[in-house]
Amino acid sequence: MRVPLVPPPASAVGRVNACCEGPLSAFINLERISKSFGTFKVVDDLDLEIAKGEFLSLLGPSGSGKTTILMMLAGFVEPSSGAITLEGKRIDHLPAHRRNMGVVFQNYALFPHMTVAENVAFPLVMRGVSKTEAAERVARAIDMVQLTHIKDRKPAQLSGGQQQRVALTRALVFEPNVVLMDEPLGALDKQLREHMQLELRELHRRLGLTIVFVTHDQGEALTMSNRIAVFNAGQIEQLASPEAIYDHPETRFVAEFIGETNMFAGKVEARDGARTKIRLDAGPMVEAYLTTEFASGAAALVSVRPERVGLSETSNAANAMPVKVLDTVYQGDHMRVRLAGSGVEMVAKVDRKTRAWAVGAEAFATFNPDECTVIAP
Ligand SMILES: Nc1ncnc2c1ncn2[C@@H]1O[C@H](COP(=O)(O)OP(=O)(O)OP(=O)(O)O)[C@@H](O)[C@H]1O
Ligand SMILES: [Mg+2]
């Protein structure tokens, strides 16, 4: 599957990002990459273009091949077939140290016997950079992530977040072409993790870095990325902006993996531009937004996010199904309402302020055709 390279939204990246100036070309290109371990195919005929300056997340369940792809980019694992190019030049036969890629793993892997400054200096020492120049660059890099006050400490004397920052600095100090990160925030608690997400976003923006970021946390991917590649069993299910992935998932897997969704089975009736009418198996006719081609009569699923479902006393909306309130749960910033009627069940997240819905109340569940998506079953 060939997925077009789209520029990251200008709002999501800083002006230093080369990706937003001039025409886009693939900076890194994976062409028809496959990887098998024994007879087990972990990555299957993968095509992926990465733009300079973009923050690309690889998102997918455990075992879907994310780490394997990162390891092939880094040069620690050799593809079984296919080509990897960097600015048009083949790199898949180059050893890791000649690819000029910074790598950050989940468990940091700092050298315990070295100080922060020595850890950060390590890649420069390995590359034969002179002592004075290395000292200067280390000082600058450590200052950039605000670790100067702890530069003489050993890793054991640092918090998890500080260790993570040191690992990141060590991956950046030699000015790599690209930074590869494998669940770098996985070991941190929620609060620190969210703080580091913002910090990493800011660093990406400020330095115009190209980042390939592996995570299985969908919220993290939505927060951080210019584009998200959703993986399932070694293949890309969808590659698009966070907004497109969330609002218009193209497959059932993507719709269910990212966030929560209501799913109704039906058949495509009549198409009208980007919208189509679907006769649900349960009876009602609904109108929905179309991202891919469907033949009329084809079986389809309509996916609607719970926060896109409204509750109303009247039926004057494009999609309005008579339902009964089964259950309401207070969730702080919204009410979670379970509904059944018209042969379907669904969940709505509704504003607490609009109205308190009693269990057993009759209402219309409404949703905008442009805010739901038709996908293949
Ligand atoms: N060296 C290896 N030898 C044999 N099988 C391997 C090897 N490395 C990975 N695999 C298998 O390949 C599949 C993909 O592994 P990979 O580590 O890429 O998944 P992942 O998407 O990173 O998962 P997670 O989210 O759990 O880290 C898994 O089934 C794994 O067991
Ligand atoms: Mg992994």
Side-chain angles (χ1 to χ4, degrees):
M1 182 174 52
R2 174 63 55 177
V3 186
L5 204 58
V6 294
S11 60
V13 289
R15 75 194 150 72
V16 288
N17 265 340
C19 63
C20 305
E21 295 159 6
L24 262 189
S25 61
F27 180 52
I28 301 168
N29 202 353
L30 288 88
E31 282 172 77
R32 310 211 55 185
I33 290 287
S34 292
K35 177 66 192 178
S36 301
F37 293 108
T39 56
F40 181 45
K41 207 168 213 183
V42 173
V43 177
D44 188 7
D45 206 18
L46 175 81
D47 282 324
L48 177 62
E49 294 180 346
I50 302 165
K52 196 174 174 71
E54 89 166 314
F55 195 121
L56 174 72
S57 289
L58 312 184
L59 176 69
S62 188
S64 57
K66 307 180 297 292
T67 296
T68 305
I69 291 161
L70 213 64
M71 290 295 144
M72 289 192 284
L73 275 171
F76 298 127
V77 166
E78 205 181 326
S80 306
S81 61
I84 303 176
T85 58
L86 175 75
E87 294 185 304
K89 294 191 192 77
R90 285 286 290 264
I91 58 164
D92 45 281
H93 300 301
L94 290 182
H97 69 271
R98 290 190 50 205
R99 296 191 188 189
N100 202 33
M101 295 186 180
V103 182
V104 186
F105 298 105
Q106 176 167 1
N107 50 3
Y108 332 130
L110 296 177
F111 301 112
H113 59 288
M114 292 186 188
T115 65
V116 166
E118 287 163 349
N119 261 286
V120 173
F122 185 77
L124 299 175
V125 174
M126 288 299 287
R127 284 168 174 76
V129 173
S130 77
K131 260 196 168 154
T132 21
E133 193 192 333
E136 254 173 52
R137 284 168 71 173
V138 167
R140 227 180 311 134
I142 288 181
D143 180 54
M144 182 182 73
V145 291
Q146 293 154 17
L147 290 177
T148 305
H149 62 295
I150 53 168
K151 69 178 171 39
D152 297 321
R153 287 200 206 161
K154 300 262 173 75
Q157 300 164 303
L158 304 177
S159 74
Q162 289 168 334
Q163 289 184 40
Q164 190 54 50
R165 240 172 273 162
V166 175
L168 185 62
T169 314
R170 191 178 58 180
L172 294 176
V173 72
F174 58 96
E175 291 167 11
N177 289 316
V178 46
V179 185
L180 308 172
M181 302 190 185
D182 195 354
E183 311 225 12
L185 311 180
L188 307 179
D189 65 41
K190 185 171 177 290
Q191 209 172 353
L192 188 54
R193 192 182 169 108
E194 282 168 5
H195 175 78
M196 287 299 294
Q197 286 173 0
L198 297 181
E199 206 165 284
L200 205 51
R201 252 177 70 127
E202 166 62 16
L203 215 55
H204 168 249
R205 198 189 61 75
R206 198 148 44 91
L207 304 180
L209 298 170
T210 304
I211 297 181
V212 184
F213 186 91
V214 167
T215 179
H216 59 242
D217 178 332
Q218 34 134 326
E220 187 161 282
L222 291 172
T223 308
M224 314 271 289
S225 320
N226 298 128
R227 287 191 307 162
I228 300 173
V230 183
F231 278 87
N232 183 19
Q235 289 188 313
I236 294 178
E237 287 263 337
Q238 190 171 353
L239 172 58
S241 69
E243 295 84 355
I245 293 266
Y246 187 82
D247 290 332
H248 296 299
E250 281 169 7
T251 68
R252 176 172 200 158
F253 178 84
V254 173
E256 289 177 338
F257 189 72
I258 314 240
E260 191 184 5
T261 197
N262 296 295
M263 203 82 84
F264 310 122
K267 285 200 173 52
V268 173
E269 287 240 330
R271 174 156 190 183
D272 178 14
R275 286 183 182 187
T276 189
K277 285 202 162 67
I278 314 268
R279 171 69 69 187
L280 299 190
D281 296 345
M285 183 81 94
V286 302
E287 227 183 299
Y289 181 86
L290 215 50
T291 50
T292 40
E293 282 301 323
F294 278 89
S296 86
L301 293 168
V302 180
S303 164
V304 194
R305 301 285 183 197
E307 69 274 19
R308 305 292 188 209
V309 178
L311 269 184
S312 159
E313 282 152 2
T314 55
S315 67
N316 52 6
N319 292 318
M321 295 190 206
V323 289
K324 217 173 203 170
V325 175
L326 289 186
D327 186 22
T328 65
V329 183
Y330 173 71
Q331 305 261 275
D333 58 344
H334 68 272
M335 290 299 287
R336 185 185 170 81
V337 184
R338 217 151 51 78
L339 306 160
S342 315
V344 297
E345 273 204 29
M346 70 183 103
V347 171
K349 291 180 181 170
V350 299
D351 192 338
R352 291 194 298 135
K353 282 192 225 119
T354 48
R355 194 197 130 156
W357 292 92
V359 172
E362 307 213 331
F364 290 92
T366 62
F367 46 92
N368 186 330
D370 292 329
E371 294 180 341
C372 51
T373 302
V374 187
I375 53 189

